[in-house]
Amino acid sequence: MVTNNHSRSTTFVLLFLLIGVAFISMRYGAVNISLDEIFSSFRKYFTNSDSMSLNERIFMEIRFPRALLCIIVGACLAVGGTLMQALFRNPIVEPGLVGTSSGAAFGAALYFVLGASFKFNAGVWTLPLAACFGAILSTSLVFVLAVSKESGRSSIVKLLLTGIAINAFFMSGVGFLSYIARDPQARSITFWGMGTLSGANWHAVIIVGLINIVCILLALVYSKQLNTLLLGEEEASYIGIDVKQLKLIILSINVVMISSATAFVGIISFVGLIVPHLLRMLHGSDNRILIKHSVLLGAIILSLADTTARLLLSPAELPIGIVTSLIGVPVFISLLRSKNYYF
Amino acid sequence: MITIENIGYHIGHNTLLKEVYLQFHPGKLNLIIGPNGAGKSTLIKILCNQILPDTGSVLFEQRDIKSISVKEMAKMRAVLSQNIELVFPMKVNEVVMMGRYPHFNASPQKRDFDICEETMSYFGVSDLASRNYMTLSGGEKQRTHFARVAAQIWESNENECRYLFLDEPLTFLDIYYQFDFLNKLKVLLSASDLIVVGVVHDLHLAAKFADNISLLYNGQVLADGSVESVLTKENIKTAYRLDAEVQSALNGIRLQF
């Protein structure tokens, strides 16, 4: 089919762009790293890692894992957004909407403020674990509360509204914690709430990477079924879809993806919202194509945003959430106003 | 054949359906009519396995529909509802292809593309194939769904009949396309394994096209049978509280209010 060839060439263009952007983000920053240094650091990493120069070390231990984490998290946010918008049949849905990201923020804030008083300490893992715990808590709360008493089922609208309520609840918790926090703690909460990739390391890359590769593959498996929800839940069931099961699977994939990413990099808004919209303008709403492209475009946009966040006030660093919102808002508004997109 | 045996359905103290017995035969256009609140929608939802009745059962041939999985059901039964809206842009041929989803795993085969093309040309939407569904008129949208639903059950199954349920599908069509659709449906009904059951509001359409009419009133079957035997002055008076003139015409009957 014609559309297939079209979408394939888009895939190549996006892939090409991603490689370019990732490359730029690895080379430039507070310190610029030359091509030679990149190659030699790879060589030395496998042969003689003690003899690496400072720049080679910066590349191997900071820039490279950071660029990879950017790609993974960007992909995860965009795919999450695509899944949630298709599931809720709603164009304004973000992946964090079912309570996930506010719960994660609450968990993180709890750690920043009260972390010292708890005996629990898992080293570098404490913050991600706390955030994950918060995310799972808030998301389960949304699901439990959204199930109606009579039918034992949860309608999409009810999930959405409960999600909004629970989000507000946990954000007020975050607000309270930053109110009682001392100054440096409050700063940590704020910084984390706007997202940052400055904590990127190989542990994070491996953990978030493995989780998200599995989740994205699963999302692709269910992408065809997800298409039928475009017609509505009733119609989907007439085409042979077990809607209840599908909803549960898609929501679970999203929660795992988003809480794992949020746990390491904080809350990054707008990527999950705009990427699916941009892509729908290219090839329509077939989720089989949309999810593949979301992986690439999400990675591109987050890499760009991170590079900007690092370069704008170099050597200081902006929270990446500020950059994504700054770019995201005008893009989103112009999308809404564009004539060839129908709501 | 579809057999409805002693179907009853309540919500709280309201009885929506009570002791409904009906049979629908292949090759005929079976239409369900009745005033608002008579239980037409409830009955079609029960037929589609969307809600479970409190009493009784629905049998496709000898099989209780409760024992048929959602997946298997989708291969032999299609449902056409009214006024389906999409929230995101999708091409007409992609919407029609969804009718083939129960029949292929990962990606559509040549057979699926062929069938979609056939049904699109049958219902006159071939020219719209690459148009964005969201830009279509109400009538064009509904014709797209005719093609989708037809694609779902276009091929005969080996052992099973094919079932098509229509839930007031003509509401947003002008009179030309109402006639056009029902005529095309009647052509399809020459296949001996296709069973069509539809809910319609328009008595004139029912009188003109139905082979069998079931008149529901207050959750019960008031009359069931041929057009002439169901659409009588007395039945219309009871169900619709209107005095009607029923005249026999060349091909069936004519109603005047």
Side-chain angles (χ1 to χ4, degrees):
Chain A
M1 242 166 67
V2 189
T3 2
N4 254 334
N5 292 334
H6 249 279
S7 78
R8 208 160 290 155
S9 48
T10 309
T11 310
F12 282 120
V13 172
L14 289 174
L15 197 62
F16 188 73
L17 275 174
L18 175 59
I19 292 168
V21 170
F23 205 66
I24 291 170
S25 83
M26 284 190 273
R27 278 203 61 194
Y28 300 104
V31 184
N32 291 347
I33 293 171
S34 71
L35 268 180
D36 282 345
E37 283 166 331
I38 290 179
F39 288 127
S40 65
S41 74
F42 271 115
R43 212 172 39 239
K44 285 183 189 166
Y45 186 76
F46 292 110
T47 54
N48 182 10
S49 54
D50 292 336
S51 69
M52 282 166 103
S53 69
L54 181 63
N55 273 11
E56 287 164 353
R57 276 191 194 287
I58 288 176
F59 171 78
M60 206 33 109
E61 281 155 28
I62 299 173
R63 288 285 167 78
F64 191 37
R66 184 169 183 154
L68 285 179
L69 192 64
C70 245
I71 291 171
I72 298 161
V73 171
C76 142
L77 292 172
V79 171
T82 305
L83 293 180
M84 289 293 98
Q85 289 182 3
L87 183 69
F88 287 104
R89 304 183 74 221
N90 194 317
I92 57 156
V93 171
E94 270 214 288
L97 202 92
V98 280
T100 318
S101 52
S102 63
F106 181 74
L110 213 57
Y111 160 77
F112 287 131
V113 180
L114 303 173
S117 352
F118 290 136
K119 291 280 169 277
F120 177 73
N121 193 333
V124 288
W125 296 102
T126 322
L127 173 60
L129 277 175
C132 241
F133 168 75
I136 290 166
L137 178 76
S138 62
T139 314
S140 339
L141 218 89
V142 170
F143 287 124
V144 172
L145 292 176
V147 173
S148 91
K149 274 184 216 143
E150 299 90 47
S151 61
R153 292 194 301 181
S154 53
S155 82
I156 296 266
V157 179
K158 216 161 176 183
L159 266 177
L160 204 72
L161 293 175
T162 315
I164 291 172
I166 294 293
N167 261 339
F169 180 73
F170 276 92
M171 285 323 276
S172 83
V174 174
F176 175 73
L177 284 171
S178 48
Y179 182 74
I180 62 166
R182 285 193 309 275
D183 218 31
Q185 296 169 340
R187 262 188 82 81
S188 299
I189 296 175
T190 315
F191 210 70
W192 197 85
M194 290 185 289
T196 175
L197 278 107
S198 58
N201 55 38
W202 282 108
H203 287 294
V205 170
I206 290 165
I207 297 276
V208 184
L210 284 179
I211 290 174
N212 281 291
I213 287 169
V214 173
C215 286
I216 289 168
L217 288 178
L218 267 177
L220 279 170
V221 170
Y222 285 96
S223 56
K224 182 187 132 197
Q225 294 197 19
L226 200 55
N227 281 350
T228 62
L229 281 185
L230 279 172
L231 300 173
E233 291 186 36
E234 222 176 280
E235 303 305 315
S237 77
Y238 297 147
I239 314 179
I241 308 299
D242 185 340
V243 177
K244 202 175 162 188
Q245 187 198 342
L246 179 66
K247 279 198 288 194
L248 192 68
I249 290 170
I250 297 295
L251 284 167
S252 311
I253 294 175
N254 180 65
V255 166
V256 173
M257 281 173 92
I258 298 303
S259 59
S260 73
T262 311
F264 285 95
V265 303
I267 296 176
I268 299 175
S269 53
F270 268 101
V271 176
L273 185 65
I274 57 170
V275 168
H277 285 294
L278 286 171
L279 291 172
R280 274 194 208 96
M281 294 182 79
L282 283 177
H283 298 297
S285 313
D286 187 337
N287 291 299
R288 287 170 293 180
I289 300 171
L290 217 48
I291 290 175
K292 284 177 207 158
H293 287 173
S294 296
V295 170
L296 296 171
L297 190 59
I300 292 171
I301 289 184
L302 204 68
S303 300
L304 269 179
D306 186 51
T307 313
T308 317
R310 282 186 292 119
L311 290 180
L312 216 56
L313 299 178
S314 171
E317 194 180 314
L318 276 175
I320 192 170
I322 293 180
V323 181
T324 53
S325 303
L326 215 60
I327 308 170
V329 172
V331 171
F332 190 62
I333 302 268
S334 63
L335 267 180
L336 289 179
R337 295 172 62 87
S338 100
K339 280 212 178 66
N340 46 24
Y341 202 69
Y342 292 84
F343 281 113
Chain B
M1 187 174 72
I2 298 175
T3 314
I4 297 178
E5 275 178 351
N6 190 25
I7 289 287
Y9 186 73
H10 320 258
I11 296 181
H13 292 296
N14 284 339
T15 304
L16 300 185
L17 289 173
K18 203 174 122 191
E19 292 166 19
V20 175
Y21 290 86
L22 284 170
Q23 287 192 332
F24 301 116
H25 296 276
K28 284 186 174 171
L29 183 54
N30 301 287
L31 294 183
I32 300 170
I33 60 169
N36 291 337
K40 305 184 295 287
S41 303
T42 313
L43 184 60
I44 207 96
K45 281 207 165 73
I46 288 172
L47 278 174
C48 298
N49 235 347
Q50 202 66 31
I51 52 180
L52 287 175
D54 297 327
T55 63
S57 50
V58 178
L59 306 178
F60 284 8
E61 301 307 308
Q62 306 304 324
R63 298 175 71 185
D64 191 319
I65 56 170
K66 275 179 285 188
S67 69
I68 305 175
S69 77
V70 183
K71 237 180 183 163
E72 191 189 351
M73 189 65 106
K75 289 185 182 162
M76 57 186 189
R77 181 270 280 126
V79 182
L80 182 59
S81 320
Q82 56 166 313
N83 203 19
I84 298 166
E85 288 297 339
L86 264 62
V87 261
F88 296 121
M90 203 158 207
K91 284 185 189 147
V92 167
N93 55 8
E94 290 176 312
V95 175
V96 176
M97 185 53 84
M98 284 196 203
R100 296 302 301 165
Y101 275 20
H103 303 279
F104 64 84
N105 280 326
S107 45
Q109 306 300 305
K110 185 175 179 300
R111 183 94 195 99
D112 302 305
F113 286 115
D114 290 347
I115 288 175
C116 286
E117 253 168 49
E118 264 181 77
T119 62
M120 280 195 287
S121 91
Y122 192 69
F123 289 105
V125 288
S126 295
D127 294 343
L128 307 174
S130 51
R131 279 269 299 278
N132 175 359
Y133 176 88
M134 296 172 96
T135 66
L136 303 181
S137 73
E140 288 168 333
K141 284 179 182 172
Q142 196 61 349
R143 275 148 59 208
T144 303
H145 291 297
F146 291 160
R148 170 176 66 82
V149 165
Q152 191 178 341
I153 51 167
W154 198 245
E155 291 174 304
S156 292
N157 298 315
E158 265 176 43
N159 306 314
E160 308 282 352
C161 280
R162 294 173 289 158
Y163 306 86
L164 176 60
F165 298 130
L166 312 166
D167 189 4
E168 297 183 36
L170 305 173
T171 316
F172 293 96
L173 291 179
D174 67 34
I175 190 161
Y176 172 82
Y177 281 113
Q178 288 183 339
F179 277 44
D180 185 56
F181 173 67
L182 288 169
N183 280 324
K184 281 172 175 166
L185 199 59
K186 289 214 125 178
V187 173
L188 295 180
L189 274 167
S190 62
S192 59
D193 65 335
L194 180 63
I195 302 178
V196 178
V197 181
V199 170
V200 290
H201 253 306
D202 191 326
L203 294 185
H204 300 286
L205 277 178
K208 189 170 165 57
F209 289 98
D211 298 309
N212 184 84
I213 295 189
S214 313
L215 173 56
L216 292 189
Y217 176 63
N218 270 349
Q220 286 180 296
V221 181
L222 185 68
D224 175 49
S226 68
V227 175
E228 289 81 3
S229 70
V230 173
L231 289 179
T232 61
K233 203 171 156 54
E234 296 73 37
N235 284 342
I236 293 174
K237 176 76 182 163
T238 314
Y240 291 93
R241 293 173 290 168
L242 278 176
D243 291 306
E245 299 260 348
V246 183
Q247 301 157 347
S248 46
L250 271 175
N251 42 3
I253 58 168
R254 193 188 298 150
L255 299 173
Q256 231 161 18
F257 294 96

